[in-house]
Amino acid sequence: MLQINCPHCGPRDEAEFTYRGDATVTRPGPDAGIEAWDDYLHLRDNPRGWTVEWWLHSAGCRAVLKVRRHTATHEIDAVATAGERLGADRA
Amino acid sequence: MAGYSGLRIFSEGLRGNSGWRPAWRKPEPKREYDVIVVGGGGHGLATAFYLAEVHGITNVAVLEKGPIGLGNTGRNTTIVRSNYLLPQNHHFYEHSLKLWEGLEQSLNYNVMMSQRGVINVFHNDAQRNAAIRRGNAMRLAGIDAVLLDGAGVKAMCPLLDISNGRFPVMGGLLQPRGGTARHDAVAWGFAHAADARGVDILEHCEVTGMIVEGGAIRGVRTTRGEIRAPKVGLAVAGSTSLLTEMAGFRVPIESHLLQAFVSEGLKPMIDCVVTFGAGHFYISQSDKGGLVFGGGLDGYPSYGQRGTLREAEHVYAAGVSMIPALGRLRGLRSWAGIMDMSPDGSPFICRTPVRGLYMTAGWCYGGFKATPGSGWCHAWTIARDEPHALNAAFTLDRFREGRMIDERGNGPFHWMH
Ligand SMILES: Cc1cc2nc3c(=O)[nH]c(=O)nc-3n(C[C@H](O)[C@H](O)[C@H](O)COP(=O)(O)OP(=O)(O)OC[C@H]3O[C@@H](n4cnc5c(N)ncnc54)[C@H](O)[C@@H]3O)c2cc1C
Ligand SMILES: [Zn+2]
């Protein structure tokens, strides 16, 4: 099981959260063009390793969190609220 | 006497089974092939078989990083069907189902294809209307579909709780020609038949790099040395993004976890495949007697091949709601695979931005039934450098062009299909 350390609620079980997608892609402006939107909506790095994701604390404070997680070991090493920067940068 | 037959089993029985030979060779890699297929799961082995069988291309290698058939092919719940709504999907899957129906003869291998019927149970008016619409779409395409009422479902699967207080069963959509097959035997059968036609199956040969020159593929780097070919086909399921990254482009795929479960062995209790309509759950019984069942994705990207208890709990709860008798059983084993999830739930069998590089991927969690069809279409696309009509819609750029094939209407969220 994953345990996510919510900045508002403290360490909570995976069962309280919902994955909300890849946080390494940025939503383009409305006029950015088809390539940019295709990139944002569909194309993915999909790494085997560290990545940053959106997780909704759906059965808790309902905040959208930014989580850095390893896709092979499932280890989580940093959690922040949506607007904050994550700790020590791995990239 | 070569090949497998009832007579052969009988005569080998008389000779102490001393005449059996390995079902495929273990050759050394050549320096060059006409076609390299990466991935020794069902799809890669089927691609190699159809390249040889249909297109006469036999100077082919299948490169597999471990032993063949231990990826998703050897981990799936083995449901085979073609009961799709959208024409791009149902024509393709029906072609695949027809190949399944003759597969044992084509491969000379018993894949234990069992057309025991697949029922999708529904619980309310809206689900029934959707089932009728899907059934009619299938029948218009010449695919078998039968609408059952509650009593009809109960007659086929007596242990189902059709009067469940919360989720009463109104009926079900039955595809009589759907069923199950033996997953390992599918990998072994394709390997055996491809090998017999000259294909080299190279196990423990991991691809670690792609040789791309002037926008075209020239070969691959592997743990057993560099191997050259003017054409390379990828059939690596959840690892697709890792391979395309080596070739220098990104694909619309996220790799997610899907678990499967088996119970202790039992006397026969379910002789068809049943899926629940009020939760994600599907079940059948293997010939060894274990109930084989599963549900939805764990819900987040992973290459870990192991699931967590949250989804296990959901699957068991849904199972017990549908068939209360399951509450008396013990689970025996569970495991997970790496699913290649696409943003519309439909696959890719296509050319790629690198000339001479092809792929079959994006199988989400329905790719076992596609095994022969995927191999057949992938082989066609590789041999002719253009898609067959059956896979022409399964391209990488369909999203950019607004031609999604979204069977469930879920939108561009890889993990929701
Ligand atoms: C739990 C579960 C249940 C499922 N249930 C069903 C079902 O009921 N019905 C259905 O139709 N489908 C089902 N599926 C989906 C189905 O199993 C897959 O879509 C299908 O088997 C994929 O076959 P494949 O050959 O593409 O992939 P795989 O069998 O995964 O083969 C890919 C191979 O590529 C190899 N590989 C990866 N990287 C490299 C590399 N760098 N070099 C060399 N080799 C490499 C891997 O080792 C692997 O053997 C299920 C899947 C799972 C996990
Ligand atoms: Zn919280």
Side-chain angles (χ1 to χ4, degrees), chain B residues 294-316:
Chain B
L297 299 171
D298 276 38
Y300 49 84
S302 173
Y303 287 86
Q305 291 186 308
R306 62 189 185 285
T308 58
L309 290 172
R310 170 166 79 159
E311 184 58 25
E313 186 179 8
H314 172 84
V315 167
Y316 277 92

Side-chain angles (χ1 to χ4, degrees), chain B residues 259-262 305 307 309 312 316 331-336:
Chain B
Q259 302 191 58
F261 306 83
V262 283
Q305 291 186 308
L309 290 172
Y316 277 92
L332 185 64
R333 290 184 292 131
S334 68
W335 59 87

Side-chain angles (χ1 to χ4, degrees), chain B residues 128-204:
Chain B
R128 185 197 50 199
N129 292 349
I132 291 173
R133 179 174 173 226
R134 182 155 54 93
N136 281 337
M138 291 163 61
R139 291 174 64 116
L140 280 171
I143 303 167
D144 58 323
V146 178
L147 192 72
L148 302 176
D149 59 8
V153 171
K154 185 87 181 164
M156 278 194 70
C157 195
L159 290 172
L160 226 72
D161 179 16
I162 67 160
S163 50
N164 182 308
R166 188 143 176 238
F167 308 116
V169 172
M170 266 182 110
L173 185 66
L174 165 70
Q175 183 176 27
R177 286 162 60 245
T180 60
R182 167 91 198 279
H183 48 7
D184 299 324
V186 173
W188 300 336
F190 273 115
H192 167 69
D195 175 90
R197 286 160 182 76
V199 171
D200 281 359
I201 293 162
L202 305 174
E203 292 170 286
H204 304 286

Side-chain angles (χ1 to χ4, degrees), chain A residues 17 39 42 45-46 69 71 74, chain B residues 241 250 255 301-303 414:
Chain A
F17 295 85
D39 205 78
H42 312 116
D45 286 343
N46 194 24
R69 197 176 61 87
T71 60
H74 297 176
Chain B
S241 306
R250 299 203 302 163
S255 295
S302 173
Y303 287 86
H414 304 69

Side-chain angles (χ1 to χ4, degrees), chain A residues 6 8-9 57 61:
Chain A
C6 174
H8 303 302
C9 314
H57 196 179
C61 63

Side-chain angles (χ1 to χ4, degrees), chain B residues 94-113:
Chain B
E94 177 62 8
H95 179 69
S96 195
L97 184 54
K98 285 183 176 149
L99 291 172
W100 277 108
E101 287 174 328
L103 199 59
E104 287 155 346
Q105 288 68 33
S106 328
L107 301 182
N108 179 229
Y109 206 89
N110 185 4
V111 301
M112 295 166 73
M113 175 64 182

